[in-house]
C-alpha cells in the first residue's frame, strides 16, 4: 500500500538527518525517510575501509546548527576516523529523534512526478511505495562506486575482490596475503599504509600520481576536547566566509608577486600545520595561474623526493600532468614512507598499462603480478551518479537521465526545470566538493526548507526552476570554472573518471562565500529564477547576471571581510576605494608618470601626467577625473589605469586631484576639476600634448564631474573639447530609474552607498537642482562636445548614464552609448582580474578614431 507524506527525504547521512529534523520539527510537515544502507550514516555507513577518516578537522566537519550537539559531542582526534564519525551521526540521529523516520535497506528505484496530483510517486527495491509533495534528495556525491566492468577479466580472478566503498562490516584479515590495490586517490592514500602493516605484500597500481600533503592528525586530550566543544562558536567563526567553508587563514594574493624566499617561508609554515591550508591559505592565484600553481606543485614534488628513498619510485610518485588542486587534494599520514618498506611495490600503469585481471592476479605491461586479494579504490560515479540511478521522471515524462545526458542542468545546483518540488542537497554545480560538506549541506537543507515554506505560504502547489534561469546559472558556473585551472585535469570534478560520462560542468568553483551570496540574492529577489505556482519566474538576480570574472572579484571581497560601503566610516570608505589600486594591471613601463601641480581655486593641487614615451607629438590629451563618490579616490588609486589608457590610446592622460567632500563639499570638486581642465589646455603643449585634441573623461563621480566640466567649458568660454567620455557616471542624485531598483544592492555599488556619497557631496539634496550637480538639468545640452557614454549592465547608475546619453543625442550632440553586459560599477579599475574590463579602452579607442583623431593604430 502506498504511504503518503508531505516530504520524502532520501539518504540518512549528514543531509537527510538534518533535513528530516528541519521539515518535521520546524515546518511541522510529515516526513518519510529512505536509505539503501542498514542504518544512519550515509557515506560513513558505507566507507569502512581501514584508515577511513575525514580530512577536514572534525570540529569543522560537523553540524553547526545546534548548540546542544556542539557542546555534548567530543571529538577524540583532530581528524576523526570513520567509526567515530559514524557514532557521531548515530548520536545526532538519536538526539534529534530522526533515526526512526527512515526506512533502511530501501533503495529508490523510481521517482515519477504526477502532474494531476502534483505529487511524486516513489518506489524502492524492497517493494515500498510512497508519495509526497516534496522530495529532498540527499543521496550523497560519492555513493555510487565505479563499475568493476572497467577491469577486463575481473570475474575470473580466483582470489577475493574488495571494494573500499563496501568494505565488510566485520573487517578483513589480510595477514600473510599478497594484496593488490588499484587507485591512488584519497581513499587509497588513507588505506594502503594500514594494509601494508598487515599484509605480506602490497602492490599498488597507479594510473595518475597525486599530490599528497600531510594531514597533521593528532589525538586530543580530554581538556582539549572539552575546550573545543565549549568554544565552538569562537573556533567556527568565519567558517562560512572562507572559500572552503573552513576558517583557514586567508591566502596572500599572488605566489608570483612573492619572492622565492617569502614563498618558501609561507609554504614551510603551512606544511608544518598540514591539511588543506597548504593549498587554500597559500596564494590566491595557485588555482588560477599555472605558473603560480607550479611554485607550489614543485614544492610538493620536492617533499615527495625527500620522503621516498628510491629515486625511481619517487619520480613515479611525482605528479606532473595536472596542476595541484585540480584533482581532489589528497591528505596523507605515512603514505610516502610506506614506499620505503620491503613489502610494498608500485606499478606505474602509465608505463606498464593494465591489460587484464587474470585468475591469479593482474597483468600489466606484459608482467604478471600474483595476488590473493584485489582491492578496488577506484572512486565513484561522483556528483550525478546517485541521482541518475533513481529512475527520476519529471513533468511531461522527461527523464533526468535524458535531460542530463550531456551533463547536469540545474539552477543553483539545487533544483532543475521539469522536476518541480525536487531539491538536491549539494547537487551538481553547487559549491559541492570544494565546500566543507556539513556546512554546504546545512546551507542546502535550510534553502530547501525555506523554499518549501515559501511555496506553501504562497498557497502554491509547486516550485520549479525556470529553464532560462538554469541556462544563466550554467553560463555563470561554467564561466567561473574556466577562470580556474580545474578543467586542466582528468578528474571526477570534470566527470572525466568514468568511461562514457560526459566531460561537463559539475562543480561551482567560486568558493563558499560567493556561492552563498548568489543563493541569498535569489531569495532576496523573491526566489528569482523559480516559478512558484502559476507565477512567472523573475530574471536571475544580479549576482548571477554578472560576468564570471567579476563574480570572482566579488567572492574575493567577501573573503577579505570587506564591509559594504554604506556601513563604512569615511576612513574605511577611503581605504576601500584606495584598494582598487590593487586590482589594476600595472601601467606599462613605456608610460612615464610626471608629478605636477595645477593652480586650483583653493591653492595648488597635485596632478599626474601619464605620458607615453617615444611617441612623436603632439598627442591627444585626456583629462581623467577619478571616481570615488566625491568623498574618496585619488590620483594614486587610478594611476595604473591611467597609464594603461595612455599606452593603449597613444595619448597623454592627465589625472588631477580635487578636494573631497565632506571636508570640501559641492561645488569644490567641480571648481577644482574645471580649473584643472583649463590649466591643462594652456600648458599641455609643453609636454607634447595637443590642446586642440583635448578630451575630458571621468568614471562614476568623476564621470559626473567630467560632464559638468564639459558644460562649463561651453558656458564659461573655456577650452574647446574634442570629446567627453563618461564612464558609468552618476548623473542625478534624485534619479528614479529602473537600474536603481534592479541593482539597488549592487554588487560593488549599492544605492545606499551612492546616496550617502551624494549627500556628503551636496550637503543638502536640494542642491541637486543645479546643473553643476546634475548635468542633465542644464537648460540646454546643445553645443556640447561629442560624447561617449559607457555603462555597465549591472550597475544602479546604468540608466541615468544612458538617459543622459539619449538627452545629449536629442540635443544634437554626436553621442555614442556603449553598454557592457554583465559588467559592474568600477570595472575600469579591475583590469588585473576581469579580462572584459579591456572593453572599456577598446570602446574609447574606436570612438576617438571615429572622431577622426590621429589614432590610427588603436585597437
Ligand atoms: P578518486 O579520487 O576518484 O580516486 C580513484 C583512483 O582510482 C584514482 O587514482 C584513479 O586514477 C584510479 N582509477 C580509477 N579507475 C581506474 C582504472 N580503470 N585503472 C586504473 N586506475 C583507476 O576516488 P577516491 O575514492 O580515492 O576518493 C573519492 C572521494 O571520496 C574523496 O575525494 C573524498 O571526497 C571521498 P586516475 O586519477 O583516474 O588516473
Amino acid at each position: 500500500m502506498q504511504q503518503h507524506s508531505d516530504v520524502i527525504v532520501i539518504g540518512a547521512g549528514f543531509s537527510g538527518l538534518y533535513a528530516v529534523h528541519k521539515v518535521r520539527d520546524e515546518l511541522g510537515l510529515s516526513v518519510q525517510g529512505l536509505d539503501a544502507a542498514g542504518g544512519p550514516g550515509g557515506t560513513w555507513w558505507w566507507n569502512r575501509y581501514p584508515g577511513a577518516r575525514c580530512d577536514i578537522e572534525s570540529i569543522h566537519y560537523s553540524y553547526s546548527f545546534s548548540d546542544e550537539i556542539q557542546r555534548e559531542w567530543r571529538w577524540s582526534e583532530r581528524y576523526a576516523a570513520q567509526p567515530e564519525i559514524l557514532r557521531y551521526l548515530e548520536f545526532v540521529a538519536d538526539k534529534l529523534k530522526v533515526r526512526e523516520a527512515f526506512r533502511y535497506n530501501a533503495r529508490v528505484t523510481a521517482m515519477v512526478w504526477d502532474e494531476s496530483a502534483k505529487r511524486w510517486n516513489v518506489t524502492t527495491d524492497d517493494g515500498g511505495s510512497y508519495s509526497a509533495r516534496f522530495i529532498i534528495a540527499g543521496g550523497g556525491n560519492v555513493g555510487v562506486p565505479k563499475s568493476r566492468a572497467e577491469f577486463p577479466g575481473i570475474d575470473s580472478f580466483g582470489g577475493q575482490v574488495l571494494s573500499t566503498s563496501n568494505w565488510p562490516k566485520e573487517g578483513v584479515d589480510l595477514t600473510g596475503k599478497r594484496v593488490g590495490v588499484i587507485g591512488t586517490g584519497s581513499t587509497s592514500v588513507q588505506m594502503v599504509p594500514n594494509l601494508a602493516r598487515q599484509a605480506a605484500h602490497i602492490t599498488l597500481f597507479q594510473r595518475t600520481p597525486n599530490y599528497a600533503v600531510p594531514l597533521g592528525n593528532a589525538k586530543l586530550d580530554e581538556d582539549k576536547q572539552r575546550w573545543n566543544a565549549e568554544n565552538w562558536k569562537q573556533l567556527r567563526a568565519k567558517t562560512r566566509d572562507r572559500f572552503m567553508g573552513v576558517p583557514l587563514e586567508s591566502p596572500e594574493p599572488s605566489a608570483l608577486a612573492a619572492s622565492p624566499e617569502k614563498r618558501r617561508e609561507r609554504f614551510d609554515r603551512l606544511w608544518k600545520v598540514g591539511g588543506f591550508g597548504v593549498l587554500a591559505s597559500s596564494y590566491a592565484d595557485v588555482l588560477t595561474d599555472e605558473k603560480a600553481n607550479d611554485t607550489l606543485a614543485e614544492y610538493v614534488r620536492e617533499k615527495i623526493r625527500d620522503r621516498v628513498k628510491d629515486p625511481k619510485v619517487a619520480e613515479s610518485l611525482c605528479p606532473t600532468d595536472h596542476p595541484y588542486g585540480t584533482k581532489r587534494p589528497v591528505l596523507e599520514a605515512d603514505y610516502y614512507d610506506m614506499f620505503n618498506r620491503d613489502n610494498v611495490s608500485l606499478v606505474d600503469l602509465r608505463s606498464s598499462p593494465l591489460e587484464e585481471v587474470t585468475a591469479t592476479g593482474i597483468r600489466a605491461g606484459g608482467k604478471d603480478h600474483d595476488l590473493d586479494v584485489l582491492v578496488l579504490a577506484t572512486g565513484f560515479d561522483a556528483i550525478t551518479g546517485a541521482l541518475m540511478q533513481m529512475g527520476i521522471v519529471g513533468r511531461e515524462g522527461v527523464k533526468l537521465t535524458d535531460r542530463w545526458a550531456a551533463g547536469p542542468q540545474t539552477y543553483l545546483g539545487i533544483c532543475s526545470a521539469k522536476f518541480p518540488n525536487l531539491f538536491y542537497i549539494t547537487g551538481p554545480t553547487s559549491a559541492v566538493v570544494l565546500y566543507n560538506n556539513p556546512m554546504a549541506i546545512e546551507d542546502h537543507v535550510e534553502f530547501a526548507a525555506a523554499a518549501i515554506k515559501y511555496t506553501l505560504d504562497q498557497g502554491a502547489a509547486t516550485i520549479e526552476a525556470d529553464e532560462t534561469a538554469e541556462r544563466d546559472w550554467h553560463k555563470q558556473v561554467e564561466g567561473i570554472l574556466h577562470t580556474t585551472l580545474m578543467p586542466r585535469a582528468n578528474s571526477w570534478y570534470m566527470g572525466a573518471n568514468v568511461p562514457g560520462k560526459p566531460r561537463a560542468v559539475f562543480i561551482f568553483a567560486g568558493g563558499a562565500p560567493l556561492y552563498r551570496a548568489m543563493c541569498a540574492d535569489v531569495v532576496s529577489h523573491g526566489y528569482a529564477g523559480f516559478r512558484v505556482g502559476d507565477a512567472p519566474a523573475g530574471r536571475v538576480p544580479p549576482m548571477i547576471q554578472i560576468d564570471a570574472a567579476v563574480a570572482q572579484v566579488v567572492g574575493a571581497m567577501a573573503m577579505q571581510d570587506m564591509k559594504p560601503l554604506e556601513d563604512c566610516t569615511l576612513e574605511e570608505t577611503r581605504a576601500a576605494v584606495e584598494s582598487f589600486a590593487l586590482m589594476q594591471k600595472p601601467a606599462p613601463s613605456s608610460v612615464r608618470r610626471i608629478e605636477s601641480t595645477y593652480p586650483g581655486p583653493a591653492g595648488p593641487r597635485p596632478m599626474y601626467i601619464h605620458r607615453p614615451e617615444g611617441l612623436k607629438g603632439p598627442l591627444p590629451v585626456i583629462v581623467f577625473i577619478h571616481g570615488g563618490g566625491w568623498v574618496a579616490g585619488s590620483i594614486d588609486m587610478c594611476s595604473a589605469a591611467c597609464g594603461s589608457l595612455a599606452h593603449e590610446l597613444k595619448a597623454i592622460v592627465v589625472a588631477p586631484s580635487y578636494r573631497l567632500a565632506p571636508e570640501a563639499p559641492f561645488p569644490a570638486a567641480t571648481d577644482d576639476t574645471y580649473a584643472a581642465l583649463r590649466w591643462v589646455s594652456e600648458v599641455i603643449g609643453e609636454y607634447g600634448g595637443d590642446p586642440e585634441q583635448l578630451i575630458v573623461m571621468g568614471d562614476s563621480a568623476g564621470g559626473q564631474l567630467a560632464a559638468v566640466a564639459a558644460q562649463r567649458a561651453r558656458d564659461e568660454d573655456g577650452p574647446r573639447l574634442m570629446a567627453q567620455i563618461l564612464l558609468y557616471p552618476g548623473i542625478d542624485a534624485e534619479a528614479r530609474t529602473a537600474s536603481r531598483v534592479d541593482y539597488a544592492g549592487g554588487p560593488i555599488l549599492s544605492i545606499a552607498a551612492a546616496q550617502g556619497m551624494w549627500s556628503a557631496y551636496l550637503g543638502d539634496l536640494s542642491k541637486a537642482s543645479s546643473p553643476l550637480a546634475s548635468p542633465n538639468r542644464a537648460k540646454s545640452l546643445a553645443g556640447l562636445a561629442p560624447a561617449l557614454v559607457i555603462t555597465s549592465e549591472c550597475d544602479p547608475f546604468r540608466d541615468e548614464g544612458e538617459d543622459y546619453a539619449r538627452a545629449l543625442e536629442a540635443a544634437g550632440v554626436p553621442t555614442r552609448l556603449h553598454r557592457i553586459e554583465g559588467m559592474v560599477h568600477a570595472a575600469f579599475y579591475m583590469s588585473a582580474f576581469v579580462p572584459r574590463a579591456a572593453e572599456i579602452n577598446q570602446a574609447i579607442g574606436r570612438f576617438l578614431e571615429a572622431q577622426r583623431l590621429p589614432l590610427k593604430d588603436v585597437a
Side-chain angles (χ1 to χ4, degrees), residues 43-44 47 49 55 141-142 146-147 150-151 164-165 182-190 205-210 321-322 327-330 349-350 354 376-380 382 433 437 490-493 496-499:
T43 297
W44 298 104
N47 285 273
Y49 60 85
D55 51 18
N141 287 299
V142 285
K146 290 213 303 167
S147 162
E150 255 182 66
F151 302 99
T164 52
S165 55
I182 306 180
T184 50
S186 296
T187 297
S188 177
V189 169
Q190 284 190 339
F205 296 88
Q206 169 187 276
R207 186 164 68 181
T208 312
N210 250 316
D321 71 337
H322 64 279
K327 284 178 104 109
R328 191 349 176 124
V330 173
L349 297 177
R350 293 266 165 95
L354 196 154
L376 299 179
T378 46
F380 301 88
V433 312
N437 258 253
N490 286 324
S491 64
W492 56 264
Y493 291 175
N497 66 326
V498 175

Side-chain angles (χ1 to χ4, degrees), residues 224-500:
K224 182 70 179 155
Q225 290 181 28
R226 192 175 335 106
W227 194 91
N228 278 353
E230 284 168 6
N231 295 282
W232 71 271
K233 276 195 184 133
Q234 178 188 336
L235 280 167
R236 302 187 78 172
K238 298 276 169 221
T239 292
R240 287 182 158 95
D241 302 334
R242 294 291 174 263
F243 191 94
M244 283 183 62
V246 184
L248 294 166
E249 178 184 340
S250 289
E252 287 202 344
S254 169
L256 298 177
S259 69
E261 297 72 34
K262 281 271 169 235
R263 231 167 22 220
R264 175 161 286 271
E265 223 172 76
R266 194 168 180 86
F267 292 157
D268 282 346
R269 182 169 63 76
L270 294 167
W271 190 268
K272 271 201 198 101
V273 181
F276 279 107
V278 174
L279 180 70
S281 304
S282 59
Y283 295 99
D285 56 354
V286 293
L287 279 181
T288 54
D289 185 302
E290 195 146 3
K291 284 205 185 94
N293 189 284
D294 212 43
T295 62
L296 181 53
E298 187 49 33
Y299 181 85
V300 180
R301 286 190 286 263
E302 243 179 63
K303 294 286 184 190
I304 297 173
R305 292 181 191 116
D306 284 351
R307 293 262 296 277
V308 180
K309 287 191 186 130
D310 181 335
K312 219 174 133 226
V313 176
E315 233 29 65
S316 301
L317 288 167
C318 283
T320 50
D321 71 337
H322 64 279
Y324 178 38
T326 57
K327 284 178 104 109
R328 191 349 176 124
V330 173
L331 297 160
E332 58 91 39
D334 41 9
Y335 178 67
Y336 291 116
D337 310 305
M338 175 193 80
F339 293 97
N340 299 330
R341 295 174 67 112
D342 295 337
N343 70 334
V344 174
S345 46
L346 180 71
V347 176
D348 182 346
L349 297 177
R350 293 266 165 95
S351 51
S352 310
L354 196 154
E355 290 158 40
E356 60 173 335
V357 182
T358 65
T360 55
I362 283 183
R363 186 172 307 130
K367 189 173 166 203
D368 282 309
H369 301 270
D370 291 338
L371 306 169
D372 304 310
V373 178
L374 174 58
V375 180
L376 299 179
T378 46
F380 301 88
D381 179 357
I383 307 177
T384 48
L387 289 166
M388 296 287 255
Q389 289 191 358
M390 285 183 198
I392 301 176
V393 182
R395 274 198 305 110
E396 300 152 20
V398 174
K399 291 183 180 158
L400 191 80
T401 44
D402 289 343
R403 199 133 192 286
W404 288 10
Q409 306 293 322
T410 83
Y411 183 43
L412 304 177
I414 299 180
C415 290
S416 294
K418 305 280 185 209
F419 301 92
N421 295 5
L422 166 59
F423 299 91
Y424 320 124
I425 303 303
T426 64
T429 74
S430 74
V432 60
V433 312
L434 301 181
Y435 182 11
N436 178 11
N437 258 253
M439 299 292 91
I441 284 168
E442 284 186 353
D443 286 359
H444 270 191
V445 168
E446 285 158 19
F447 188 100
I452 289 172
K453 182 171 186 316
Y454 181 80
T455 307
L456 297 175
D457 288 350
Q458 302 290 308
T462 54
I463 179 166
E464 182 183 341
D466 178 59
E467 269 183 81
T468 312
E470 212 175 63
R471 276 196 294 277
D472 289 343
W473 175 249
H474 188 85
K475 184 169 162 242
Q476 180 65 284
V477 178
E478 187 172 36
I480 291 172
L481 184 68
H482 286 277
T483 65
T484 74
L485 299 171
M486 296 293 177
R488 285 282 322 277
N490 286 324
S491 64
W492 56 264
Y493 291 175
M494 300 299 300
N497 66 326
V498 175

Side-chain angles (χ1 to χ4, degrees), residues 62-81:
S62 47
Y63 291 116
S64 70
F65 70 89
S66 159
D67 186 52
E68 207 178 330
I69 292 173
Q70 289 274 171
R71 286 175 181 282
E72 286 182 17
W73 185 262
R74 307 276 151 97
W75 292 107
S76 71
E77 290 181 85
R78 210 171 145 202
Y79 299 92

Side-chain angles (χ1 to χ4, degrees), residues 634-670:
S634 70
I635 54 177
D636 287 302
M637 180 275 286
C638 67
S639 184
C642 288
S644 298
L645 187 68
H647 173 74
E648 287 170 41
L649 294 165
K650 297 182 173 40
I652 294 178
V653 177
V654 183
S657 69
Y658 56 91
R659 286 170 292 160
L660 297 177
E663 296 90 335
F666 175 79
T670 174

Side-chain angles (χ1 to χ4, degrees), residues 563-637:
K563 273 199 219 168
L565 276 182
E566 57 271 29
D567 297 342
C568 288
T569 62
L570 182 62
E571 285 66 35
E572 287 168 340
T573 300
R574 287 181 176 164
V577 172
E578 220 53 36
S579 71
F580 276 89
L582 303 171
M583 290 203 272
Q584 297 156 43
K585 281 187 185 157
S589 55
S590 58
V591 175
R592 188 153 69 97
R593 190 175 84 181
I594 303 159
E595 298 183 10
S596 179
T597 54
Y598 71 94
R605 291 209 57 86
M607 74 174 8
Y608 289 154
I609 301 170
H610 304 85
R611 192 194 188 290
E613 295 284 78
L615 292 179
K616 279 219 182 80
L619 299 174
V621 181
I622 297 174
V623 174
F624 177 81
I625 304 166
H626 68 76
W630 306 275
V631 299
S634 70
I635 54 177
D636 287 302
M637 180 275 286

